[in-house]
Structure formats: structure tokens, C-alpha cells
Amino acid sequence: MNGAQALMKTLVDAGIEVCFTNPGTSEMHFVAALDSEPKMRAVLALFEGVATGAADGYARMADKPAATLLHLGCGLGNGLANLHNARKGKVPVVNIVGDHATTHTQYDAQLQSDIETVARNVSPGFVRTSQSTAALCQDATDAITAARGLPGQVATLILPADVSWGEGGVPCPPPPATTPPAADDATVERIAQVVRSGKKTALLLGGQALREPSLLAAARIAAHCGAQLLAEVFPNRLERGAGLPAVERIAYLAEMAGVQLAPIEHLILVDAKAPVSFFAYPGKKSYLVPDTCAVHELSTPAQDARASLDKLVQALGAAQAQPALQAPHRPDRPRGALTAPKVCKAVGHLLPENAILIDEAITSGLMLNVMTAGGPRHDLITLTGGAIGQGLPGAVGAAIACPQRPVIALIGDGTAMYTIQALWTMAREGLNVTAIIFNNASYSVLNVELERVGAEEPGPKAKSQLDLKGPVLNFAQLAQGMGVHAVRTDAAEGFCKALEYALAHPGPHLIEAVVPESLSGAKRKVLPWLLRSLPSLPQPVARVLKRKIAP
């Protein structure tokens, strides 16, 4: 075997059976080695950000890492945004980056760069350049071990071309599985005392704590002791729908998050971090936990959230408590002129069993949570790191991980253009994905932020940087040009018909929903004033307004 062939064998023996690729010259021996390993599925992306985002979406649904194959430092740089999202979501990815041959680097050729420095932005826990064919497979095993541990991480293995083509490669056996620890007894007892205190307490769940077993354990604690259940703003994967415990996600807007957190006296973190504002704003707090609230940590991202919650259930005597479960409910079929809330309503009305929902709708998806809460059981994937362009690639990866499950991706028009090439990969692979693009011809969220940051009154040049009206994009035509069946509509009846057709016919589909901005005109002007007012309003009034704006 050469190094690439031995590496391929090492990967598949460790359970890594999908590689999302955008290769170049330095990776040709790895590409050739794909034919030597029938268990490895290779999925071509036309842009590195699609490959890295697909690896992220795959791992979230498969609960194991995929590999990427990227070309040198420039290719890694092109894929950096979605690797950032994977890092923030604690998602396991084995990132393989080709490099020049070790004998060639001294000449500083045109594509030579410091790949390790680039990689450390998204792989702070594991970056390694393999120095020899003999060491390659052990390096790969170390990368796999790092990626799939808790917390999951992006592990970057840099593969020089001569290490790949060198003879004498020897595959390594798969690394042994490890069992993460639960919270220790002293921590569990301390948290139990906090819950028993009778003060207003909330469990903030993130990561692995948002899967069904952990949710049920947390819901038993809530039922037994009156605790509130909260979830991270952008969970990497949330299991939800009828028959599962409902959790309230922390709001994106800091002022609304403040309303949610204001009455809480004890906040217990379970595989989550204390809430902070996405950005700094003049005169506003970045750390969102109230000064009157104490923060406690039941389990860290390196610990087993489910086992830790189970121990807390036992310590509280809550094992027989009946968890509150979401009742089945679907919204009515929408009618009339299409709006973003009506799109969300249609998705809730028609949501199929066991779907995977991917939410990168930005402002257009404000009603998605409430419209799908009582629908059939489904998984929700969100934009963990805030770097837009994740949704369409994530749908590719999720569909490959779960080919029997329908994937519905709700995407804003601005974010869709970051990784629009994902549509081509969907068509090439025949993936069961329905992409819904909200075309409001605007970077709507940035128009909102322009008001919130207190910038001076914007003029025409400033406003032109935040709209997509010249020319207005036609996503249906773009999709058709890449082999995806597509429909464009501005009517609720037409949207419902298109969604029913897409769900009934396997393969990729795109529905372009031509809608007005959800937050525009007077709403946009009033929103900053309303947000500033929330802290001074009575809590019941503030909570009502919060639910009205962002349920």
C-alpha cells in the first residue's frame, strides 16, 4: 500500500465512511485511493464551504465524523466558515488537507502557505502535519480519537503529497471507544440542593442534552421540582415535536433573552455555556445572566449529559415523575398572498414524520418554532456558529447520513448565495432534500442590526449594502441550472402545492418563496425602541411582547 491507500483503510475501519471532497493536484493519490476502498463514499462539492458544511451536517445526524478532503491552505481557507460552525457546535469532523510534498515546500511555490496557522482557527485541539508514510496512519488514528471524543471537535490532519504517494503504508486498527464520565457525586448533590431550594431555577440544555433521553430526564426534574427548561439559542441538534418535552430556546436578541432570564435565581448548565449577547451594543450588557442569578454547572461538554441528568433525577427522587410532553398540533393551511410566517405555517401544516428541519431562515423563520412545535417528531439543526452559508451544505450532509428521512432546509436569500453550489451536489447525489429559499431581496437581519447598534441615519450608499434588489435573484432558475427541480411562488396556495409535490417525490427540490421582509418599515423602526423598553416594563408585559415578536 501507499500512504493514501493505508489512510483510506484506517478511516473506514474506524467507521468514517463518507468523505466530502474538493481536491486538487496535491490530493490526487488520495483521490486514486478511493477506488481501493469500496466502503468509502466520496461526495464531490464545487466549493470547499459546501464540503465542510456537509461534513458538519452529516456528523450531527450520524453521530460520528465524516472526513473532508481540501486542497492546501487556500482550500482550507475557503471552507473555514463552516468549520467554524462545526467547532462552535462541538461537531466531530476529520479534516484532511493536502499539502505540497515535503521536499517542495522549500521553494515557496505559488500555492505554498502556512496551513497549520490557518487550521488552528477551527482546530485548536488537534492540528498535525504528517511527516512520513510510516507515521501517517497513527496520525490519522490520533485525529479520529480527538474528533469523536467529548466534546466533539474538528481535527485537522495535513497530508503532504509525498507522504500520500510513499510506499509502505500500514493501516492502523481503529481506536478504542471511550466512555465519557458523568458528573461526580459531589456535583450532583450540590445541584440537587440548589433545585430543592425552592427558588426560581432553570436548566439550560445544550449539545447532547437536547436528545430525547436527556430531555426526558430534564423534564422529570422540571415536573418534580418546578424547574424551567431552556435550550441554547442555536442548538446543534434538537429533538422535538409531539410526544417529546418542549424546551424554550434562549432568544437571539439580547434584550429578549434578558426577559427570559430576568426571573431566574439559579441557572444550571447542562452541556451549555452561560448566555452572552451575539455582539456588543453601545450601553448594553454582553453577559446576559442577571446579577441576581447564580450559575451552576451540572455537566461540562466533556462529560456525559444524559448520565449526569439521570444521576440528578435519582438524587431528587424524580424517577417516577411524569414529564410534560408536547401535545400534537398542526396549524391550519395558509391562504392568500405569501409571507414568511405563512411559509412557516405551511411547513408546520405539512411536516412529515421523522423529518430533519434545517433552519437558516434568519428573520424569515421567526415563526418556525411555534408553527412546528406540535408537529410530528423531527430533528432541528441550527446555525451554531453564526457564520451564514451552513444550511444548504448541512442539508447535503444530513440527507447522506439519514437517506430514509426527508430533509427540509429553510434558508434566507442572502445566506443561500454563500453556498448555492450545494444544489449541484444534491442533484448529483439524488438527495431527498427540499430547500425553501425565502426571497425578500434583502439582508433583512442586517437592516435590523443597523437600527439596533445606534448608527447614524443611513443614507443611500449604506442602505444599498443591505439589499439584494439590483438585480433580484431568481433561485428557481439557479436551481434548474444545477439540475434541481424548482418552483417559484408568491402565493400560499402555490407554496403548499409545491411543498406537497416535493414531499411526495424523492430527490432534491427547491421552492422559492417570494415574500416581503418580516421586519420592515414601521416594524423595523419600532423594534429598537421596543427592545430598549423591555427591561423597564413589568415582567408579565415584557414576556407577552417577547412571545409576540419572537415566539
Side-chain angles (χ1 to χ4, degrees):
M1 289 186 177
N2 63 25
Q5 291 167 332
L7 172 59
M8 200 72 64
K9 175 70 171 167
T10 299
L11 292 172
V12 297
D13 285 352
I16 298 177
E17 299 168 332
V18 179
C19 184
F20 297 95
T21 78
N22 188 280
T25 302
S26 299
E27 296 75 47
M28 286 297 103
H29 285 83
F30 186 102
V31 171
L34 289 167
D35 288 312
S36 71
E37 182 45 74
K39 293 180 182 178
M40 178 64 78
R41 179 175 181 176
V43 179
L44 177 63
L46 299 184
F47 174 62
E48 292 90 342
V50 175
T52 55
D56 180 1
Y58 174 93
R60 295 191 197 203
M61 295 309 305
D63 282 326
K64 64 178 184 179
T68 67
L69 180 65
L70 308 176
H71 182 45
L72 304 174
C74 297
L76 173 61
N78 283 341
L80 216 60
N82 278 326
L83 290 171
H84 163 82
N85 289 324
R87 179 177 72 87
K88 286 293 187 178
K90 304 186 288 288
V91 178
V93 176
V94 176
N95 202 36
I96 298 172
V97 184
D99 194 7
H100 291 297
T102 56
T103 56
H104 192 66
T105 56
Q106 62 184 307
Y107 301 112
D108 193 24
Q110 284 83 348
L111 277 170
Q112 182 70 39
S113 64
D114 185 350
I115 302 174
E116 289 196 2
T117 295
V118 177
R120 285 192 184 95
N121 288 279
V122 292
S123 292
F126 186 97
V127 177
R128 185 180 300 174
T129 300
S130 195
Q131 298 296 329
S132 69
T133 302
L136 172 59
C137 290
Q138 185 58 56
D139 292 336
T141 298
D142 293 344
I144 295 164
T145 301
R148 73 183 192 185
L150 282 184
Q153 62 177 303
V154 179
T156 298
L157 177 64
I158 300 167
L159 178 60
D162 54 340
V163 172
S164 185
W165 75 52
E167 295 183 353
V170 179
C172 282
T178 58
T179 302
D184 61 55
D185 294 345
T187 298
V188 171
E189 183 53 39
R190 186 170 65 252
I191 299 296
Q193 291 176 8
V194 168
V195 176
R196 293 191 197 104
S197 69
K199 295 184 177 181
K200 184 68 175 177
T201 300
L203 298 174
L204 178 55
L205 310 176
Q208 297 296 314
L210 293 171
R211 307 293 182 86
E212 179 182 3
S214 297
L215 288 171
L216 288 171
R220 287 191 174 90
I221 295 167
H224 187 68
C225 304
Q228 184 180 357
L229 299 185
L230 297 173
E232 292 176 311
V233 182
F234 292 123
N236 71 5
R237 177 180 167 187
L238 169 60
E239 296 185 4
R240 64 195 299 266
L244 286 174
V247 293
E248 181 181 350
R249 284 166 61 188
I250 298 291
Y252 166 77
L253 297 174
E255 298 88 342
M256 294 185 183
V259 172
Q260 293 171 287
L261 295 168
I264 296 171
E265 297 172 278
H266 291 286
L267 184 66
I268 299 169
L269 307 179
V270 189
D271 196 2
K273 60 180 288 187
V276 298
S277 174
F278 240 63
F279 301 101
Y281 297 93
K284 297 178 184 177
K285 291 174 59 177
S286 293
Y287 184 68
L288 301 181
V289 179
D291 295 339
T292 54
C293 178
V295 177
H296 315 269
E297 189 169 49
L298 173 64
S299 67
T300 72
Q303 293 175 313
D304 187 324
R306 175 185 178 179
S308 300
L309 283 165
D310 285 342
K311 287 181 70 171
L312 184 58
V313 167
Q314 294 299 321
L316 292 167
Q320 302 307 313
Q322 292 301 309
L325 303 178
Q326 175 68 54
H329 173 73
R330 287 184 184 269
D332 295 334
R333 192 180 184 96
R335 304 184 186 282
L338 194 60
T339 63
K342 287 182 182 178
V343 170
C344 296
K345 190 174 185 179
V347 171
H349 181 73
L350 297 170
L351 187 68
E353 293 280 349
N354 210 28
I356 300 168
L357 274 184
I358 295 178
D359 178 13
E360 199 180 18
I362 318 298
T363 57
S364 293
L366 288 173
M367 298 300 292
L368 183 64
N369 263 356
V370 70
M371 292 298 181
T372 56
R377 286 188 51 159
H378 58 277
D379 287 271
L380 177 69
I381 289 176
T382 69
L383 183 61
T384 51
I388 63 173
Q390 178 192 43
L392 291 174
V396 169
I400 288 174
C402 304
Q404 304 307 316
R405 299 179 62 179
V407 178
I408 302 174
L410 295 94
I411 312 293
D413 50 0
T415 185
M417 290 304 296
Y418 277 56
T419 47
I420 195 70
Q421 309 92 328
L423 296 174
W424 182 87
T425 301
M426 291 178 195
R428 177 183 172 99
E429 300 292 327
L431 302 179
N432 191 19
V433 175
T434 300
I436 298 169
I437 309 295
F438 292 89
N439 191 345
N440 60 21
S442 174
Y443 282 118
S444 186
V445 69
L446 296 183
N447 281 290
V448 173
E449 292 288 13
L450 187 64
E451 304 280 352
R452 292 181 70 215
V453 298
E456 61 185 63
E457 186 65 27
K461 191 185 297 184
K463 290 179 179 178
S464 72
Q465 304 310 297
L466 307 180
D467 77 63
L468 303 174
K469 294 183 175 66
V472 174
L473 293 157
N474 189 311
F475 288 94
Q477 290 182 352
L478 288 168
Q480 289 163 1
M482 286 184 271
V484 174
H485 171 263
V487 173
R488 194 175 206 242
T489 182
D490 60 2
E493 292 83 358
F495 181 86
C496 289
K497 182 179 178 181
L499 183 54
E500 286 173 324
Y501 179 90
L503 294 174
H505 294 81
H509 301 267
L510 181 140
I511 306 172
E512 181 179 1
V514 181
V515 298
E517 289 185 66
S518 295
L519 297 171
S520 61
K523 287 183 182 178
R524 185 186 298 158
K525 290 292 185 184
V526 169
L527 183 62
W529 174 85
L530 182 60
L531 293 174
R532 285 194 298 270
S533 303
L534 284 175
S536 60
L537 295 174
Q539 282 190 17
V541 176
R543 285 196 292 270
V544 168
L545 287 172
K546 185 270 168 192
R547 286 195 294 269
K548 184 73 174 176
I549 299 167

